[in-house]
Each structure stands twice: as structure tokens, then as C-alpha cells.
């Protein structure tokens, strides 16, 4: 293993285990003790890890162990979880093997991952947590746009108008939203608007996943009008008035019964520790590539 790849691997192992002895790193990296010690010294000199007696320690403080974690996302995924899971199951059932779909970042759309595990789709998503989950649990082809990770919403946002998104077309886009109103789909965060509009423009059919609480939420930003929405999947808690209003605008409304038992966020389909740790490694690799590649290549 060449130097820069081995050192990147060493940092990933520390991000996962927090601390490691030289002997552990020797076994994990299949390298000699002398090589491991040199790597530790090299990385410590560049402030990429902390040397300890007989080993090394992850430089990231424990409270930032998972730099991509978001309390907002964690809290939201547990709110109305039984409704969201039922909605996600129905949405996944609308997918046919072989087709291309788009899925935006959101807690309800993230729950689709459990039900897409046995599918064979091409999926474009700006949710790195969904991308990671589908990569390890399914044979779907996963495409993600380039850009920065936006921690609060757990999505990847590109600052460029001409990103990879423009090269992909989908028959369906499945979308979580902040709220629904007569004016259309509502968003509270201006940073998401441009990216979401870009995704919407690449799909023929826009399918919105919104539990009944979203009908009462208001925000100051309009993502798109109801005329762009093909279908809204919600739960049986949605009022008749809300459903009728959507139907008057030509939107097909599907209501589903919430799961009888709310999903356990510690269950295999959603393990916060697993997902956030994987996300941290995903972020670490992206963060270290430019630093290590430039520094290590120069050191050869």
C-alpha cells in the first residue's frame, strides 16, 4: 500500500476507533511497526492526529466524533416516525426495477432506504446518509452530486449551476418538504431552495412525501407551486379539507395508515450510531483527500 493511501486508511481507523496502539495498526494496515510509527509521526507533525504512548488518538474531539451529525435531523426522524415509515413504504412501492429516480434529503425520504433494499434502480440523491445506506444494503446504482456537505439538513449542496444533476433525467422524484400550502411546497432554509429546484427540474413526476403535520407548517420560502406536484403521499391524519384542496389543484392524494408500532430508531433499518459514523468517515475522506494527496505526493 502506497504511503498516502495507508495514511488515509490509518486516519479512518482512528475516526472509527478513536484510539489505537501501534500493534493494532500493524495488524489493521498489514504494515511493519516501524512503518506505522513513521506514519504516526508524519501525521502528528501535520496536526492530523495526536500521538499517545504506544499508539495514536483521533484528533477530533469526542463531542465532534461524528462531524456530519445533526441534532435537527435526529430529532425530526423520530417525530411522527410511524406516519413517515408508512409513507416511505408506499413511496418505495411506486418504484419499478430499471427506472431512474431522484430522492432529496429528508427524514421521510430517508426511510425509503429500508424498502428500496431489494430494488434495482438508478438513484440520484443529495442525501449522503441515504447514499451510504443504499450502497451497503442494496444493489441500486447510486449517484450523488458534488459539493459541500450541509450538516444541518444532511445534504450535499453544490455551489455551481452546472453540476452532475443536469446530466441525469428521472421519471420520478420523491421529495420531503418543510410544509404544504395553497401557494405550493414550502421551505424554511434558503440554502436548500436552489439545490431542490435543480433536482425538480430533472424529473418528470414530482411525488411529495408529507405527513399530516406538514399541512399546518408555514415557511417564508416557496419552492414550487402545486401545479408542479403530481402526487402527495400523506397519512390518514390529514384533514378532508386539506386533501380536497390538493385534489382541486389537480394533485393526486394518497393517504396511508400509520404503522401500528412506531419504528425503533435502533432497529437495523435505522441505526443512528452506524449511519452517523459512516457519514463521518465519508466526510473525513473528502476532507483529507486534498490535504493528504498534496502533502503525501510531495513526500514521495
Amino acid at each position: 500500500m502506497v504511503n498516502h493511501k495507508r495514511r488515509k486508511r490509518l486516519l479512518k481507523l482512528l475516526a472509527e476507533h478513536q484510539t489505537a496502539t501501534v500493534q493494532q495498526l500493524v495488524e489493521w494496515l498489514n504494515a511493519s511497526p516501524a512503518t506505522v510509527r513513521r506514519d504516526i509521526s508524519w501525521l502528528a507533525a501535520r496536526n492530523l492526529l495526536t500521538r499517545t504512548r504506544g499508539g495514536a488518538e483521533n484528533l477530533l474531539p469526542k463531542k465532534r466524533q461524528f462531524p456530519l451529525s445533526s441534532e435537527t435531523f435526529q430529532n425530526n426522524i423520530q417525530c411522527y416516525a410511524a406516519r413517515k415509515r408508512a409513507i416511505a413504504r408506499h413511496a418505495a412501492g411506486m418504484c419499478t426495477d430499471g427506472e431512474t429516480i431522484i430522492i432529496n434529503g429528508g427524514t421521510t425520504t430517508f426511510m425509503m432506504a429500508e424498502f428500496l433494499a431489494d430494488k434495482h434502480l438508478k438513484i440520484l440523491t443529495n442525501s449522503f446518509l441515504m447514499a451510504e445506506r443504499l450502497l451497503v444494503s442494496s444493489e441500486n446504482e447510486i449517484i450523488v452530486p458534488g459539493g459541500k456537505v450541509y450538516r444541518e439538513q444532511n445534504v450535499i449542496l453544490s455551489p455551481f449551476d452546472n453540476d452532475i444533476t443536469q446530466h441525469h433525467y428521472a421519471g420520478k422524484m420523491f421529495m420531503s418538504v418543510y410544509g404544504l400550502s395553497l401557494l405550493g411546497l414550502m421551505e424554511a432554509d434558503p440554502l436548500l431552495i436552489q439545490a431542490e429546484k435543480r433536482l425538480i427540474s430533472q424529473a418528470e413526476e414530482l411525488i411529495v412525501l408529507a405527513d399530516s403535520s406538514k399541512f399546518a407548517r408555514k415557511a417564508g420560502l416557496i419552492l414550487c407551486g402545486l401545479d408542479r406536484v403530481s402526487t402527495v403521499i400523506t397519512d390518514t391524519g390529514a384533514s378532508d379539507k386539506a386533501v380536497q384542496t390538493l385534489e382541486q389543484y389537480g394533485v393526486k392524494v394518497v393517504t396511508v395508515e400509520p404503522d401500528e408500532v412506531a419504528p425503533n430508531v435502533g432497529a437495523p433499518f435505522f441505526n443512528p450510531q452506524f449511519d452517523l459514523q459512516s457519514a463521518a468517515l465519508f466526510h473525513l475522506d473528502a476532507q483529507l483527500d486534498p490535504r493528504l494527496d498534496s502533502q503525501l505526493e510531495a513526500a514521495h
Side-chain angles (χ1 to χ4, degrees):
M1 186 183 298
V2 295
N3 287 350
H4 70 284
K5 290 184 178 179
R6 185 181 62 252
R7 288 167 180 168
K8 286 168 65 177
R9 174 63 179 158
L10 189 157
L11 289 172
K12 288 184 179 182
L13 288 167
L14 286 181
E16 180 178 354
H17 298 280
Q18 294 303 298
T19 62
T21 65
V22 169
Q23 185 56 43
Q24 286 175 317
L25 292 170
V26 164
E27 296 174 0
W28 294 337
L29 298 171
N30 193 27
S32 69
T35 296
V36 168
R37 290 191 181 94
R38 283 197 299 270
D39 286 346
I40 290 174
S41 297
W42 193 95
L43 293 166
R46 287 154 180 81
N47 201 34
L48 293 171
L49 57 72
T50 301
R51 295 185 69 173
T52 62
R53 185 176 181 84
E57 184 177 31
N58 185 21
L59 186 65
L60 296 175
K62 290 185 178 180
K63 68 178 181 179
R64 294 295 301 277
Q65 179 179 355
F66 305 124
L68 296 182
S69 66
S70 164
E71 290 185 8
T72 299
F73 187 90
Q74 290 298 301
N75 292 336
N76 288 347
I77 202 166
Q78 296 180 65
C79 291
Y80 311 114
R83 304 179 191 179
K84 292 178 177 180
R85 187 166 184 260
I87 291 169
R89 181 193 297 109
H90 185 91
M94 297 174 67
C95 301
T96 304
D97 284 352
E99 69 177 337
T100 299
I101 65 171
I102 299 172
I103 305 177
N104 82 326
T107 55
T108 309
T109 46
F110 175 78
M111 287 190 177
M112 290 178 65
E114 175 189 3
F115 306 106
L116 294 175
D118 296 326
K119 300 284 187 180
H120 294 81
L121 306 163
K122 179 182 288 187
I123 301 173
L124 170 62
T125 181
N126 63 351
S127 165
F128 59 84
L129 287 182
M130 168 162 278
E132 187 278 336
R133 171 51 58 90
L134 290 173
L135 282 171
V136 300
S137 67
S138 77
E139 296 183 2
N140 293 290
E141 180 181 344
I142 310 301
I143 304 163
V144 294
K148 292 185 178 181
V149 173
Y150 182 42
R151 291 182 178 85
E152 192 66 18
Q153 298 293 341
N154 286 325
V155 297
I156 304 167
L157 299 181
S158 171
F160 306 108
D161 290 331
N162 299 323
D163 65 5
I164 191 174
T165 303
Q166 67 173 331
H167 301 295
H168 294 275
Y169 172 81
K172 301 183 183 78
M173 176 175 175
F174 296 91
M175 185 171 202
S176 289
V177 293
Y178 181 86
L180 279 167
S181 77
L182 293 178
L183 296 176
L185 307 185
M186 313 295 288
E187 264 301 344
D189 195 327
L191 290 178
L192 295 177
I193 292 291
Q194 183 179 6
E196 302 291 15
K197 284 185 175 181
R198 195 177 302 147
L199 291 174
I200 290 173
S201 68
Q202 299 303 114
E204 180 177 344
E205 184 179 358
L206 181 59
I207 302 167
V208 176
L209 282 59
D211 67 82
S212 53
S213 70
K214 300 295 178 71
F215 291 94
R217 300 181 75 178
K218 305 298 180 183
L221 300 171
I222 301 173
L223 181 58
C224 70
L226 292 177
D227 59 330
R228 183 64 182 86
V229 180
S230 302
T231 305
V232 169
I233 308 174
T234 187
D235 60 85
T236 50
S239 68
D240 291 340
K241 181 179 179 180
V243 172
Q244 291 169 6
T245 299
L246 288 174
E247 291 176 339
Q248 287 173 2
Y249 277 82
V251 178
K252 179 181 178 182
V253 181
V254 177
T255 57
V256 296
E257 289 282 351
D259 286 0
E260 292 185 6
V261 179
N264 178 2
V265 294
F269 92 92
F270 179 71
N271 184 326
Q273 185 82 354
F274 172 82
D275 286 310
L276 295 174
Q277 189 167 38
S278 298
L281 296 181
F282 178 91
H283 174 70
L284 182 64
D285 187 53
Q287 183 182 55
L288 293 177
D289 270 345
R291 273 195 291 176
L292 287 182
D293 287 345
S294 60
Q295 294 177 12
L296 293 172
E297 294 291 346
H300 282 176

